[in-house]
Amino acid sequence: MRRKNILALGLSFVLGVGASSTLTYALPLEQEESLQTSASEVGNTEETASNAESDTETAVEEMEASDKEKEEAEEESSLSTEALGGTDRAAEEALTPLSRSRRALADPPYYASEEEERADRKNRIISLTAEFHTADVAARDHMKVVRKKKIDVVSYAVRDINAPRHPELLSIQPDRIVEKKVGDNTWEVYTLDYFTPGVYRYKYVLEIEKGSTLFLLLGKDYGDGKAFSRTGILLKTKFIENISNESNRLQPTIALETDSAKGRKYLLEGKEFTVEAQKTISKVYLKSSFDIHNVHVGDLMKRATLSTEKIVLTDGTEIKPDPNPIFFTNPYDSYPNNPDQWKLLLDSFKTEEGYIGDVFNIKETKAFEPGRYQISYLLQQNYKIDKYRLLVKGTDDNYGNGTEFYVNNERYITEMPAKPEAELTPLPLITSPLFDVKKVENPSTNSSGNSSRGNSGSSGGSSSGSGGSGGSSGGGSGSFKVSSSSTGQVLGVDRSLSGGQWVQDEKGWWYKRADGSYPKNSWGYEAYNGKSYWYYFLDSGYMATGWVDVNGSKYYLFPNSDGWKGRMLTGWQWIDGNCYYLDSQGQNEGALYRNTTTPDGFTVDSEGRWVVNGAVQYKK
């Protein structure tokens, strides 16, 4: 910089331009540097000037080469003629005034000297108000860093209350610099695209158009007894969901000299704010009022209610969230007074019989048609709960399969955003396995005189849910063989349990009919508390759980206590680390597929396990 200033000073003597006119356009910091030039350097300058007439051509060439190198270097920096910010180098240069180039000498912007500023009261900007075009987002752990925000200067005040106002002469660049505190009082430019826990601040660049005599007060003595006065700056913004921080409180720090043809620039510094750490969630268990395994043709479409049973952190800690406020809400705001409720978001697929459900213009009270469906929920974590967060894809999280979601204890497919979002929380979309809505068959009778399972709407008269709490059935969990002495006991025969009640004793659950008898070696179909399932009763009369063989087919009866213990499962199920397909419709409903291809095109081996190229697929 010194070499370039000396050459410029020498050249100005050759061209007949006074040295004072050159220094008029230097920033105060650069003026101070140039005025402190040592006596020996001044002597060298004068010597250069005295010999300049004979060496003018050489000096000009040297200066042009130097200027060209400088211009090329400054064009690489984002703190150049156009804008400030974006790269580490640019943000570092923002803290130091840039030198002038020949362009600035040829067409210099106006920079008032300190003496002019002291004398010029009417152009001192006392306060300034700007505002964002759109709401800002208060930073949270692992959410997206938003660096570009369009800002308008809407008003300002000067000492002279009668002076006209021209806000269009002032602008704030939309690219803001993000810095993070390192140590006690050191700041570094933050380059990641997502926030991590720590203390941050934003910086902006304000530009006053060329030719304007307006200037900001930088906290020094302006000769009127009001030392260290500083322009007050308010950046008006609305924060999303009213979650705010202190980042919109700004103050000017230094003036930036650039070779911009527009005018002078100031660096504005925002107040620091803190991003708190949140604990990461590994698994989420939800309870839904919509049971994909208990939908029949003619059932009316109703809204689904979701509640959070528990969350499991990545360290294994289990937490049952306070349901008020609820942990997850519907971002669609379909039912604003019921944030725990969702419209049915369905997809439909053609079944082997050619049925496909109509899922367009879904309305409540519309009846289900035969078909194969999937239901999805778009979730939003309650933004008021700050302690926990989902695993975020595209960050330093140990993502793996991401946060897993289970609905009614069944794993749903989870789709998370591919990268951090500018939202208070990520929005996962969870999708159920395929499920069939079956066409009701005509009633028929078997040898026992029981009607067909087509009468699925029969109401249960039990006084408690099967397996509603603890206890094991007579056969217990695990694989066992059911006596083949029973005849006519095939799935599809109606064994309604209406009119009796579930009873639990020290051995397990059994069903007591109104006449005191109980089913054994048979299936029973129970409708209870809005849900209906198949159950199997052993020779002892106790309800079976786990794997069971019936007449050559294998079934799986849910072994855990969740209010419907012992129910028969269908569709794809992860059981003890392996994935199995259990028939989801027809007379073989619930039967295990073995050594074949499933309806959706996957292969299972002789034990019913899902295989890919002969390799059994496991889930840890």
Side-chain angles (χ1 to χ4, degrees), residues 140-147 180 190-197 200 275 389 392-397 419-421:
R140 291 163 70 94
D141 192 3
H142 277 67
M143 68 175 284
K144 182 179 179 180
V145 176
V146 179
R147 291 185 169 87
K180 186 175 184 180
Y190 190 71
T191 58
L192 294 179
D193 290 332
Y194 57 92
F195 287 101
T196 54
Y200 295 83
V275 174
R389 67 175 179 83
V392 180
K393 201 170 187 178
T395 70
D396 60 357
D397 278 346
K419 57 184 179 181
E421 290 184 298

Side-chain angles (χ1 to χ4, degrees), residues 19-44:
S20 60
S21 63
T22 301
L23 294 176
T24 301
Y25 306 111
L27 273 176
L29 290 177
E30 196 162 357
Q31 284 180 346
E32 183 178 349
E33 181 183 0
S34 62
L35 292 175
Q36 292 176 351
T37 306
S38 66
S40 60
E41 288 175 321
V42 174
N44 291 338

Side-chain angles (χ1 to χ4, degrees), residues 125 127-129 153-158 164-167 169-170 214:
I125 298 179
S127 63
L128 182 149
T129 302
V153 176
V154 294
S155 65
Y156 65 87
V158 293
R165 307 292 194 272
H166 300 284
L169 298 177
L170 296 89
L214 294 170

